[in-house]
Amino acid sequence: MERQRRIPEATVARLPVYLRTLLEVQTDGVTTISSERLAELAGVNAAKVRKDLSYLGSFGTRGVGYDVDHLLVQMSRELGLTRDWPVAIVGVGNLGAALANYGGFGDRGFPVAALIDADPTKVGTTFGGHTIRHLDDLPALVDELGIAIGIIATPAAGAQEVADRLVAAGVTSILNFAPAVVTVPAQATLRKVDLALELQVLSFYGQRDSIGSSLREELGVTAEAKNSAV
Amino acid sequence: MERQRRIPEATVARLPVYLRTLLEVQTDGVTTISSERLAELAGVNAAKVRKDLSYLGSFGTRGVGYDVDHLLVQMSRELGLTRDWPVAIVGVGNLGAALANYGGFGDRGFPVAALIDADPTKVGTTFGGHTIRHLDDLPALVDELGIAIGIIATPAAGAQEVADRLVAAGVTSILNFAPAVVTVPAQATLRKVDLALELQVLSFYGQRDSIGSSLREELGVTAEAKNSAV
DNA sequence: CCGACCTTGTTCTCTTGTTCACAAAGTGCC
DNA sequence: GGCACTTTGTGAACAAGAGAACAAGGTCGG
Ligand SMILES: NC(=O)c1ccc[n+]([C@@H]2O[C@H](COP(=O)([O-])OP(=O)(O)OC[C@H]3O[C@@H](n4cnc5c(N)ncnc54)[C@H](O)[C@@H]3O)[C@@H](O)[C@H]2O)c1
Ligand SMILES: NC(=O)c1ccc[n+]([C@@H]2O[C@H](COP(=O)([O-])OP(=O)(O)OC[C@H]3O[C@@H](n4cnc5c(N)ncnc54)[C@H](O)[C@@H]3O)[C@@H](O)[C@H]2O)c1
């Protein structure tokens, strides 16, 4: 039985949800879980769960379900979570500072390894246990600390330049919070988090509702978020 | 010529990007734009732009392009941006505080109208010009201030309860930052922003790359983010 | 007024993703 | 050991979305 490669993008985006769900049931002492139950907890369709998991290999036992521990190991391996991915936060302002303070990333294998800013009055100061470094130090920091992921938390105007510099320094995974279209070469991966966009999408559907349209209800639009990748 | 209803979800998620792009070129004095140019600036395919815009109606002029001002008006109307959408932030911690401090929302028609927390030591204190209110006050706040959107910035454990309370109080648009699966009834809309998920997806693709696989290059995976709706 | 040129709007095809439905495979009772 | 029951893994049908291609419609120079 040949291992199936090329995991669909939609599946990749759901694996973290399954992972989190499995970690939760694991702490409850659950050792085996059916696709039905996992689907319920993860807010998706059971057939989808089975198909998604089948991309990892055939780990289930028919008539029984999936072994939680085993699934967690396979899933972590597939997602690349068997190693740490040091993160650099670029732009230590309002948002960057909040992210730097947040402990939830290091726990999960994404330690904040560097804080970077372009403002000379911020560079050199210490924040949350890190000395803020200048953007020019980026290549050195990548070498020293093995930065694998860059988070852009600068104003929109600077986002593309920061992305270019990150890629030039060898950081090929980028998460962009700035409300700007940023492009990177094909060998890099860029994902974005755009709050204004989210609010505007909510506004769109909210307006539909308040107009009294029952369109979406008729369609049975589902309860769980439908974000594409978020 | 019948107006085409039922705008695809994928299109709805791109309209805010076009909107932002159009606002930018508008300030540069541009009055007309072709689908080709808009596509380039928005980081998408030109055919997609034309198809997306055609859902709003036929506003372009063949041989010329689209009138920027007109397009902005139509798009704003469609997205429901002709009115304000007061936002309540639930959970004024690390993240909630950063969001509350951020001025970028009010500018765009999403004023932060209320800050809500469950912690008795925080309730009653003032933050960023708002007195923090208790979760129990939610129904009253919705009545008084016309809260239209709720942002969940509490720990994961409280997220579902907060969502339930928001819906019960009449808030049908919710943006969830907590790493938890939250479900809402069909008449409500929920979107999520999940940073851990984003990082794990980056880790997946980062691992693929560092293994030396040229899979994605061969596939010509594109430069712009592929987030589904974000 | 006409013809060369440009850009939209839309149709068609291809790809990706979702869901159903069911045979295959395993468990555990009797 | 056999049989009833459960749950997986996947084939096939269906739905949504992306992109190429092109006819229709409009501009503008002459
Ligand atoms: N704060 C929020 O809650 C929030 C919410 C949504 C989106 N955003 C977006 O996140 C980004 C950051 O927001 P913020 O509120 O933290 O802004 P901010 O102004 O508080 O901080 C920006 C920081 O980036 C630094 N910076 C500017 N240009 C830089 C460059 N080229 N290289 C390195 N550093 C640079 C600045 O010195 C500053 O420290 C913005 O694009 C904003 O639109 C923020
Ligand atoms: N801080 C970040 O940068 C960051 C990044 C990604 C995700 N998140 C997520 O965002 C959420 C908030 O993170 P944080 O760092 O601000 O946490 P935090 O602990 O700093 O703040 C949480 C706040 O929510 C309040 N709260 C708790 N339960 C509540 C309830 N039932 N109703 C109302 N308020 C309640 C608490 O009193 C506290 O003020 C978490 O789920 C976290 O995982 C945070």
Side-chain angles (χ1 to χ4, degrees):
Chain A
M1 177 71 53
E2 201 58 32
R3 168 68 80 78
Q4 198 146 350
R5 275 292 147 199
R6 184 79 41 87
I7 300 183
E9 206 171 301
T11 296
V12 172
R14 281 188 296 265
L15 291 181
V17 179
Y18 301 147
L19 187 78
R20 198 174 59 211
T21 305
L22 289 169
L23 285 172
E24 279 167 17
V25 303
Q26 190 187 43
T27 63
D28 294 346
V30 174
T31 59
T32 297
I33 193 168
S34 69
S35 60
E36 198 76 43
R37 179 79 182 126
L38 179 52
E40 186 189 331
L41 295 173
V44 302
N45 178 292
K48 209 186 306 194
V49 168
R50 288 199 293 278
K51 190 158 277 191
D52 285 343
L53 295 184
S54 77
Y55 289 112
L56 307 178
S58 292
F59 299 136
T61 307
R62 296 175 189 219
V64 178
Y66 299 88
D67 181 81
V68 173
D69 289 351
H70 189 213
L71 212 47
L72 278 169
V73 169
Q74 296 299 333
M75 209 133 78
S76 299
R77 195 169 53 78
E78 197 65 44
L79 284 171
L81 303 180
T82 52
R83 51 157 284 200
D84 272 6
W85 297 83
V87 170
I89 297 175
V90 185
V92 190
N94 206 15
L95 179 64
L99 293 172
N101 265 338
Y102 182 54
F105 297 154
D107 298 352
R108 307 266 187 201
F110 299 93
V112 175
L115 300 182
I116 298 172
D117 209 296
D119 183 344
T121 68
K122 289 191 178 177
V123 172
T125 64
T126 300
F127 186 88
H130 288 277
T131 301
I132 298 179
R133 305 286 295 266
H134 194 271
L135 194 55
D136 293 338
D137 295 345
L138 193 53
L141 288 168
V142 172
D143 280 357
E144 286 165 30
L145 306 168
I147 303 291
I149 296 177
I151 296 185
I152 302 178
T154 68
Q160 182 64 61
E161 189 211 335
V162 170
D164 292 345
R165 291 230 208 174
L166 282 167
V167 172
V171 179
T172 55
S173 297
I174 299 176
L175 183 56
N176 176 37
F177 281 89
V181 174
V182 173
T183 54
V184 295
Q187 79 269 15
T189 307
L190 182 139
R191 292 181 68 85
K192 67 175 174 189
V193 172
D194 188 335
L195 301 210
L197 183 151
E198 298 298 336
L199 291 176
Q200 288 175 8
V201 171
L202 286 177
S203 144
F204 174 84
Y205 287 113
Q207 181 192 36
R208 284 296 167 93
D209 292 348
S210 57
I211 280 173
S213 148
S214 54
L215 224 79
R216 288 172 50 257
E217 278 145 67
E218 277 165 32
L219 279 169
V221 163
T222 143
E224 174 57 1
K226 31 203 152 82
N227 298 36
S228 70
V230 178
Chain B
M1 176 70 57
E2 201 58 33
R3 169 67 81 78
Q4 196 146 354
R5 277 290 146 200
R6 185 77 43 85
I7 300 184
E9 205 169 303
T11 295
V12 173
R14 280 188 297 267
L15 291 182
V17 179
Y18 302 146
L19 187 79
R20 198 173 59 212
T21 305
L22 289 169
L23 285 172
E24 279 167 16
V25 304
Q26 190 187 43
T27 64
D28 294 346
V30 174
T31 59
T32 297
I33 194 167
S34 69
S35 61
E36 197 77 42
R37 178 78 182 127
L38 180 52
E40 186 189 332
L41 294 172
V44 303
N45 180 289
K48 210 186 306 193
V49 168
R50 288 199 293 276
K51 192 174 283 188
D52 286 344
L53 295 186
S54 78
Y55 289 111
L56 307 179
S58 291
F59 298 137
T61 308
R62 299 176 187 216
V64 177
Y66 300 88
D67 181 80
V68 173
D69 290 349
H70 188 213
L71 211 49
L72 278 168
V73 169
Q74 295 299 333
M75 209 134 77
S76 298
R77 196 172 50 81
E78 196 66 44
L79 283 171
L81 303 180
T82 51
R83 50 158 284 197
D84 272 6
W85 296 84
V87 169
I89 297 175
V90 184
V92 190
N94 205 16
L95 179 64
L99 294 172
N101 266 337
Y102 181 54
F105 296 155
D107 297 352
R108 307 262 185 206
F110 299 93
V112 175
L115 301 182
I116 297 170
D117 209 296
D119 183 343
T121 68
K122 289 192 178 179
V123 172
T125 64
T126 301
F127 186 87
H130 289 277
T131 301
I132 298 179
R133 306 285 296 266
H134 193 271
L135 195 52
D136 293 338
D137 295 345
L138 194 51
L141 288 167
V142 172
D143 280 355
E144 286 165 32
L145 306 168
I147 303 291
I149 297 178
I151 295 184
I152 302 179
T154 68
Q160 182 63 61
E161 189 212 336
V162 171
D164 292 345
R165 291 229 208 173
L166 282 168
V167 172
V171 179
T172 54
S173 297
I174 299 176
L175 183 55
N176 175 37
F177 280 89
V181 175
V182 172
T183 55
V184 295
Q187 79 269 17
T189 306
L190 182 139
R191 293 182 66 87
K192 68 176 171 189
V193 173
D194 188 335
L195 301 209
L197 182 149
E198 298 298 335
L199 292 176
Q200 289 176 7
V201 172
L202 285 177
S203 145
F204 173 84
Y205 287 113
Q207 182 192 37
R208 283 295 165 93
D209 292 348
S210 58
I211 281 172
S213 147
S214 54
L215 225 78
R216 286 171 54 256
E217 278 145 68
E218 278 166 31
L219 279 170
V221 164
T222 146
E224 177 53 3
K226 31 198 150 84
N227 296 35
S228 65
V230 179

